Amino acid sequence: MDRFSFLNAAHTAYFAELYDQYLQYPDSVEPSWRAFFQGFDFGMQQNGVSAETMEEAPVDFKEGEIPEHVIKEFKVIRLIDGYRTRGHLFTKTNPVRERRKYRPTLDIENFGLEKSDLDTQFNAGDMLGIGPSSLKDIVTHLEKVYCESIGIEYMFIRKPEEIQWIQDKLNKNENHPNFSDDEKKKILKKLNQAVSFESFLHRKYVGQKRFSLEGGESLIPALDALIEKAADYGVKDFVMGMAHRGRLNTLTNIFGKSAKDIFSEFDGKDYEQDIFDGDVKYHLGWTSCRETDNGKQININIAPNPSHLEAVGPVVQGITRAKQDRHYGGDNMKVLPILVHGDAAIAGQGVVYEVVQMAQLEGYQTGGTIHIVVNNQIGFTTNYLDGRSSTYCTDVGKVTLSPVLHVNADDAEAVVHAILFALDFRMKFKRDVFIDLLGYRKYGHNEGDEPKFTQPKLYKAISKHENAMDIYAQKLKSSNIIDDDYLTKLEEEYKAALEEKLEDSRKEETTKITPFMQDEWEGFENVYEDEMMKELDTTYKMEDLDKVADAISKLPEDKKFMRKVKKIIDLRNKLYFEDNKLDWAMAEHLAYGSLMKEGFNIRISGQDSERGTFSHRHAIVKVEDSEEEIILHNNIEGREGDFFVYNSPLSEYGVMGFDYGYAMASPQTLTIWEAQFGDFVNGAQIMIDQYISAAEDKWKLQNGLVLFLPHGYEGQGAEHSSARMERFLQLCAKDNMYVADVTTPANMFHILRRQMKAGFRKPLVIFTPKSLLRHSKVISTKEDFAEGSFQPLLDDPKAKAKDVKSLVFCTGKFYYDLLEFKEENDRDDVALVRVEQLFPLPVEKMKKAIKKYKNADDVVWAQEEPRNMGAYGHMLLHFDEAKNFRVCSRKFYGSPAAGSSVRFKKRHEKVIASVFDKTVEN
């Protein structure tokens, strides 16, 4: 016992604190103490508590060496640690069915303690902020903190200051709310609105889909409290994304959308404007300004979203970041993103993981998102046990070590308490936090569905279950905070207001859709195709272009750069000021710089976008010794805009969604998403189908996002040849977007400038080159940049109309392959005409070309892609004369290109030969 006699002399609270530190962060404890604690753990294994991995051999304890009361203190600490790490498994959070059983339990016997210890005082109570206490009081405290209506997971967090903050917060008032009577009445009021709104719709619109919130109504007082408290923190903008469940309720009772407008949508009235096709009511977005109870103004936005439930997640993050950058100088305390998920969707949709992984990255961080899961415990008809492998639907949050709170949706005060905890954490640490709002779904997936087909036992319990408002009202009545008259008046006043709105709604013949974030889009107009086709002035003064060129072609002289980097930047200077031969990279850089001088911001993001996948861009250069980043665009004299370029994570869906959201909230920023190779874009197909191609028709949304998709057949195999242009072209209709396959630096310069100089915004898809980045013929002059304009059709500069017998329309890189053959074989009888803009198609210019080359008895559409891919099908749909074209292409294939370089070359040469010789079969 002599070895450990010091344990008798010191206060055991000190050892308790030290041991608690060891349990959380073993390496932070002094080595001799760590060895001592490892020995204690080793001895505890017989109680089912495993020791940490030991760096040193454990101390060999002999019976009687350690004082009994010290051993008991350590066992109590183990008990406390058990509640902190596993208490969430034993909560009262499921309102309608039994929880799964977990072993071992938190019974004191599992920690080497006995019933006889319950009245013993333990200094370990100091760790909980309750001072030395009996074991009975310690267990009572732990049960209240960790095992009632709120369960929390946080012990996996690796930052001691966050752990300590959470524990201090939990121990305050035993993790229970302490609301005033007025605050409780406010919660009841919002619960009444949530419940009454759903029951009103259920009666008035029998069987119509509304994706009701019934079973999760406590979301409404929680969101209300969140906005109120966020405004007190100084938040100015609130950006929210949520799917269908409860969306109409949230729009009305949180965002202030008039119930009259929602009733109009239920009545199925037509829209005021022909340009707008609309969408179902539970997909629409909304923007409004709300005044809080304390008189603060907060702008609140709920983003529109499709039935692809989690697609809105990255869009919300992009909107948030754009607002932070544009209005608040990057201050992420001023804009708060909130994402409301379904339990099946957050666990099943991979884009959630992509968004979570972006949360702390420089180009995508927004200062932390509050994630709320409206947990129905079911996905359509799929039980949660069939919907995921993880214990909780929120386990994705652990990827970023975010705290997770599981809350019983029937306990309205606990729900509000949890949401305020989440807000405090986010504002303190600027990190994500997850709330799992465990409730149920009163009806089927929609109100016309019969859930008892697949979950008869669950729905038998749900049918007998009281709603959250009735439960809470009874609690307040029993506390004499309200009486029956108060409750009756509350219900009748709200129902009367709904009846009045319904009556007003039925006096109107059409429904009006309010644009989302109209404050950001003031001065921009929705336009038709004829306006899109008008030539726009994109010229730029030569003297100003010289200044941009000078800034982007000179490295700081006081820093050391790699020789290759210096050579690249020096070449820019030579190309511009000596040779007057500007390549693709210069087209980009001069477009960005000129727009910056005119007050526009530039944002480019994608995999390897800083340098460029093909090492052409070098928008950021690094100092050789320190890796300090230099952005030459920010050295442009007189610039009014900023330049941002980011290498993205290896994600397409999430990152494109983010950049789409960014462009949605920042029309004065040229926002570009770049694919590493064009075919990688198919990982983001949902964003293309649901947002890029359709958002203006569905939701009245303009968006100027630009996609750079490297495209061209160069023998790299099936995966890196095609950007699948046929898919984009199939989606083109009327006036929904631009699609281009440009072949000259000047056209690239002008199309990017046109994108920002127009008084409207349309998505722009550009099929960018690979081999053409350094092709000797792919050059333009600075006069082409300064004085030119975008040309949707490029005529053959050398062809003489009277000599042309064969007129060939083509697009993109294939032009240069055909040009090489034409020049090598002196085929002056062939005119090569490039279609630079594929949509809207320059139909009149194409007709003029056919008329010009009237001696041509052979009109060809030539493409390097297989017949069933590329632009040929698009030509047939949008250009009547195309049905008479002779088509030269690869045959029909399922794969874009052959893997064998020999086979590729053979097929490619055959297509080229067929263009110049009708007798060659292609």
Side-chain angles (χ1 to χ4, degrees):
M1 186 160 179
D2 290 343
R3 285 196 297 167
F4 306 108
S5 59
F6 64 91
L7 294 172
N8 279 319
H11 196 286
T12 53
Y14 169 72
F15 303 126
E17 184 179 341
L18 199 61
Y19 184 54
D20 183 50
Q21 181 183 338
Y22 159 77
L23 288 174
Q24 295 179 49
Y25 315 104
D27 292 339
S28 68
V29 177
E30 193 271 331
S32 61
W33 275 108
R34 185 163 67 246
F36 172 79
F37 291 140
Q38 285 172 345
F40 175 75
D41 282 345
F42 186 72
M44 284 290 291
Q45 286 186 69
Q46 63 203 36
N47 293 315
V49 184
S50 62
E52 300 288 339
T53 301
M54 300 181 189
E55 295 175 2
E56 303 97 352
V59 175
D60 180 21
F61 293 113
K62 295 182 173 61
E63 187 176 353
E65 283 192 310
I66 305 178
E68 179 65 23
H69 72 279
V70 174
I71 292 177
K72 285 288 179 78
E73 287 283 357
F74 287 153
K75 289 178 179 179
V76 174
I77 297 167
R78 272 293 188 188
L79 174 68
I80 293 170
D81 189 60
Y83 271 91
R84 288 171 171 175
T85 55
R86 300 180 68 245
H88 58 88
L89 298 172
F90 304 97
T91 53
K92 303 176 181 70
T93 50
N94 199 320
V96 290
R97 56 180 163 190
E98 287 290 316
R99 287 204 58 161
R100 285 180 281 181
K101 304 298 182 184
Y102 295 93
R103 293 288 185 271
T105 67
L106 297 174
D107 293 341
I108 60 174
E109 290 81 3
N110 290 323
F111 296 87
L113 297 162
E114 301 170 358
K115 292 285 193 297
S116 59
D117 296 317
L118 287 172
D119 293 326
T120 304
Q121 292 282 113
F122 289 98
N123 291 315
D126 283 336
M127 294 167 52
L128 302 172
I130 60 175
S133 305
S134 69
L135 178 59
K136 182 179 179 180
D137 288 344
I138 288 172
V139 170
T140 299
H141 176 85
L142 291 170
E143 284 287 325
K144 287 182 177 179
V145 170
Y146 292 104
C147 297
E148 292 196 349
S149 291
I150 301 174
I152 180 167
E153 298 180 90
Y154 70 98
M155 289 295 284
F156 46 75
I157 294 174
R158 295 171 189 158
K159 294 183 178 180
E161 65 273 22
E162 292 185 11
I163 292 272
Q164 191 61 54
W165 184 92
I166 290 171
Q167 289 179 350
D168 291 345
K169 196 84 170 173
L170 294 176
N171 288 329
K172 185 179 180 181
N173 206 39
E174 296 181 319
N175 194 24
H176 280 60
N178 185 24
F179 297 126
S180 68
D181 288 355
D182 286 342
E183 288 170 328
K184 291 176 181 179
K185 288 177 180 178
K186 178 73 178 296
I187 292 172
L188 181 67
K189 177 183 176 182
K190 299 309 290 186
L191 271 177
N192 172 64
Q193 291 175 355
V195 170
S196 298
F197 180 78
E198 298 293 357
S199 61
F200 188 87
L201 291 179
H202 194 65
R203 293 195 315 274
K204 299 295 184 180
Y205 298 98
V206 179
Q208 282 207 42
K209 292 181 183 180
R210 70 177 191 275
F211 298 100
S212 82
L213 188 57
E214 288 161 282
E217 296 98 332
S218 52
L219 174 70
I220 298 302
L223 289 174
D224 180 72
L226 179 63
I227 292 173
E228 293 286 329
K229 182 71 176 293
D232 290 341
Y233 264 116
V235 172
K236 300 295 185 185
D237 268 279
F238 176 93
V239 185
M240 182 171 163
M242 70 181 297
H244 311 66
R245 181 76 50 207
R247 187 182 183 91
L248 298 179
N249 206 316
T250 302
L251 279 166
T252 300
N253 293 314
I254 297 297
F255 284 83
K257 182 173 182 178
S258 173
K260 177 173 74 73
D261 294 335
I262 290 177
F263 297 148
S264 288
E265 293 158 12
F266 267 104
D267 288 332
K269 298 172 185 176
D270 201 0
Y271 304 107
E272 281 187 338
Q273 294 172 288
D274 291 336
I275 197 171
F276 174 65
D277 277 347
D279 198 1
V280 291
K281 48 197 166 289
Y282 35 78
H283 286 179
L284 301 176
W286 186 259
T287 297
S288 60
C289 187
R290 168 172 166 162
E291 183 174 324
T292 70
D293 294 344
N294 291 333
K296 295 183 172 66
Q297 298 294 321
I298 187 165
N299 188 54
I300 53 179
N301 309 272
I302 185 168
N305 67 283
S307 287
H308 294 72
L309 303 177
E310 295 291 344
V312 75
V315 175
V316 164
Q317 301 297 334
I319 292 170
T320 301
R321 177 61 178 264
K323 285 177 172 286
Q324 291 169 350
D325 287 349
R326 185 179 179 194
H327 299 302
Y328 304 107
D331 184 357
N332 50 31
M333 292 294 96
K334 300 298 185 186
V335 189
L336 179 65
I338 311 291
L339 289 176
V340 180
H341 311 267
D343 52 311
I346 193 174
Q349 298 290 301
V351 70
V352 178
Y353 178 84
E354 295 184 36
V355 171
V356 166
Q357 280 286 22
M358 292 158 62
Q360 296 297 318
L361 304 182
E362 181 187 358
Y364 309 92
Q365 61 188 5
T366 55
T369 299
I370 296 178
H371 299 263
I372 307 170
V373 180
V374 178
N375 190 338
N376 303 311
Q377 308 185 57
I378 191 171
F380 203 154
T381 68
T382 303
N383 279 317
Y384 71 94
L385 291 173
D386 297 318
R388 62 178 185 267
S389 296
S390 59
T391 300
Y392 295 114
C393 62
T394 50
D395 281 346
V396 68
K398 296 173 186 174
V399 170
T400 48
L401 306 178
S402 301
V404 181
L405 294 91
H406 306 278
V407 195
N408 189 323
D410 273 359
D411 189 339
E413 286 189 20
V415 174
V416 174
H417 180 70
I419 202 87
L420 296 179
F421 175 101
L423 176 64
D424 290 342
F425 180 87
R426 187 270 181 185
M427 301 304 285
K428 173 74 174 176
F429 296 107
K430 301 185 179 183
R431 297 215 300 110
D432 286 11
V433 57
F434 288 73
I435 294 177
D436 178 13
L437 186 61
L438 200 71
Y440 55 92
R441 189 185 70 192
K442 185 174 181 180
Y443 303 105
H445 177 66
N446 60 65
E447 286 64 34
D449 185 44
E450 176 51 79
K452 288 182 181 177
F453 288 155
T454 47
Q455 281 83 21
K457 186 177 178 181
L458 172 63
Y459 274 88
K460 185 176 181 180
I462 289 172
S463 66
K464 299 175 182 178
H465 194 76
E466 283 189 297
N467 66 52
M469 189 198 76
D470 289 341
I471 293 170
Y472 191 53
Q474 187 58 47
K475 178 180 177 180
L476 296 190
K477 282 192 283 186
S478 65
S479 301
N480 296 318
I481 295 173
I482 64 166
D483 55 23
D484 287 332
D485 290 342
Y486 181 92
L487 185 62
T488 300
K489 183 180 179 182
L490 196 67
E491 292 173 331
E492 288 180 351
E493 285 180 352
Y494 186 71
K495 289 175 182 176
L498 291 178
E499 288 285 2
E500 183 180 344
K501 296 295 184 185
L502 179 63
E503 188 176 333
D504 290 345
S505 165
R506 290 180 172 169
K507 295 175 184 177
E508 298 178 359
E509 295 182 0
T510 59
T511 187
K512 181 179 180 180
I513 300 300
T514 303
F516 177 60
M517 287 197 306
Q518 60 267 42
D519 52 325
E520 304 284 5
W521 287 86
E522 192 172 338
F524 291 89
E525 298 292 331
N526 295 89
V527 300
Y528 291 103
E529 185 177 345
D530 58 343
E531 189 70 25
M532 294 171 68
M533 290 299 292
K534 289 181 180 177
E535 185 172 311
L536 198 67
D537 182 7
T538 55
T539 58
Y540 194 70
K541 291 181 180 179
M542 184 68 77
E543 57 266 33
D544 289 332
L545 196 66
D546 290 345
K547 291 177 183 177
V548 174
D550 185 65
I552 64 171
S553 63
K554 285 183 178 178
L555 290 169
E557 294 181 0
D558 60 340
K559 299 181 187 297
K560 182 182 178 183
F561 298 89
M562 289 178 60
R563 278 184 295 174
K564 285 186 177 180
V565 169
K566 189 173 188 311
K567 184 178 179 182
I568 289 168
I569 305 303
D570 288 346
L571 181 60
R572 290 182 189 172
N573 194 284
K574 183 175 185 294
L575 288 173
Y576 186 91
F577 290 103
E578 297 179 26
D579 301 344
N580 196 12
K581 293 181 178 179
L582 308 187
D583 61 8
W584 202 270
M586 287 297 283
E588 279 193 48
H589 290 314
L590 293 172
Y592 305 147
S594 63
L595 288 169
M596 290 169 67
K597 280 182 70 69
E598 293 174 324
F600 298 103
N601 293 333
I602 312 295
R603 176 189 165 93
I604 310 170
S605 97
Q607 296 153 15
D608 312 295
S609 288
E610 294 178 6
R611 188 198 72 176
T613 297
F614 311 105
S615 200
H616 81 289
R617 182 173 296 123
H618 292 277
I620 289 180
V621 292
K622 291 192 175 183
V623 179
E624 184 173 2
D625 298 330
S626 65
E627 293 197 4
E628 176 191 352
E629 294 186 343
I630 305 294
I631 300 177
L632 295 177
H633 280 82
N634 288 336
N635 295 334
I636 295 172
E637 181 186 341
R639 68 175 177 87
E640 296 180 29
D642 293 315
F643 186 85
F644 305 102
V645 58
Y646 302 104
N647 285 341
S648 77
L650 198 65
S651 154
E652 290 82 37
Y653 188 175
V655 176
M656 186 193 289
F658 186 103
D659 287 323
Y660 181 87
Y662 197 101
M664 189 191 296
S666 190
Q668 298 293 354
T669 299
L670 176 64
T671 307
I672 299 167
W673 178 81
E674 181 175 46
Q676 190 177 73
F677 286 89
D679 55 302
F680 286 8
V681 76
N682 55 25
Q685 196 64 48
I686 289 172
M687 293 309 309
I688 296 160
D689 291 345
Q690 301 300 329
Y691 283 94
I692 289 174
S693 67
E696 189 168 1
D697 274 356
K698 291 194 297 186
W699 305 319
K700 215 173 184 178
L701 287 182
Q702 293 191 63
N703 195 292
L705 180 65
V706 180
L707 306 187
F708 282 177
L709 309 180
H711 175 91
Y713 283 54
E714 282 128 349
Q716 295 194 55
E719 304 308 319
H720 297 323
S721 297
S722 174
R724 295 292 195 171
M725 66 167 62
E726 63 277 357
R727 294 180 181 172
F728 291 92
L729 295 173
Q730 183 188 30
L731 293 170
C732 290
K734 299 187 299 182
D735 47 34
N736 64 334
M737 58 180 164
Y738 286 110
V739 178
D741 192 5
V742 296
T743 61
T744 71
N747 248 2
M748 183 65 170
F749 174 84
H750 289 292
I751 199 171
L752 291 175
R753 285 184 52 76
R754 181 183 74 173
Q755 188 70 359
M756 301 311 293
K757 300 290 283 185
F760 56 88
R761 294 289 180 263
K762 304 282 182 179
L764 168 62
V765 179
I766 304 180
F767 299 105
T768 56
K770 294 174 287 182
S771 61
L772 301 192
L773 295 175
R774 297 174 181 83
H775 196 289
S776 61
K777 290 185 178 295
V778 184
I779 56 172
S780 301
T781 66
K782 52 189 175 184
E783 288 77 18
D784 295 332
F785 283 33
E787 300 162 10
S789 63
F790 176 71
Q791 301 299 311
L793 192 84
L794 288 175
D795 197 358
D796 192 320
K798 295 183 178 179
K800 295 180 180 178
K802 63 183 180 60
D803 298 330
V804 171
K805 301 299 181 185
S806 186
L807 168 60
V808 180
F809 287 105
C810 61
T811 188
K813 167 253 174 188
F814 196 42
Y815 163 77
Y816 291 97
D817 298 335
L818 297 174
L819 180 62
E820 182 181 5
F821 186 97
K822 176 184 173 179
E823 292 178 344
E824 286 179 353
N825 293 276
D826 297 324
R827 291 296 300 270
D828 294 334
D829 60 327
V830 177
L832 302 177
V833 177
R834 287 165 276 177
V835 182
E836 299 279 287
Q837 181 171 287
L838 293 167
F839 192 82
L841 195 66
V843 170
E844 296 304 317
K845 292 182 183 296
M846 293 177 71
K847 287 180 179 178
K848 285 182 180 179
I850 292 174
K851 188 175 182 181
K852 174 183 175 181
Y853 297 106
K854 58 186 178 182
N855 292 337
D857 57 6
D858 179 32
V859 182
V860 178
W861 173 257
Q863 65 179 41
E864 56 184 345
E865 301 86 2
R867 185 75 56 92
N868 54 311
M869 302 177 194
Y872 175 56
H874 175 70
M875 290 294 161
L876 290 174
L877 287 172
H878 294 272
F879 191 55
D880 291 340
E881 286 78 357
K883 63 181 179 289
N884 298 317
F885 286 175
R886 179 170 67 89
V887 186
C888 296
S889 71
R890 283 170 169 77
K891 295 179 180 180
F892 292 83
Y893 290 106
S895 174
S900 162
S901 58
V902 173
R903 180 173 292 184
F904 158 79
K905 186 176 181 181
K906 183 179 178 182
R907 288 178 179 174
H908 199 66
E909 289 175 348
K910 190 173 182 181
V911 175
I912 294 171
S914 70
V915 172
F916 293 90
D917 186 347
K918 295 180 185 179
T919 65
V920 175
E921 183 183 351
N922 62 73

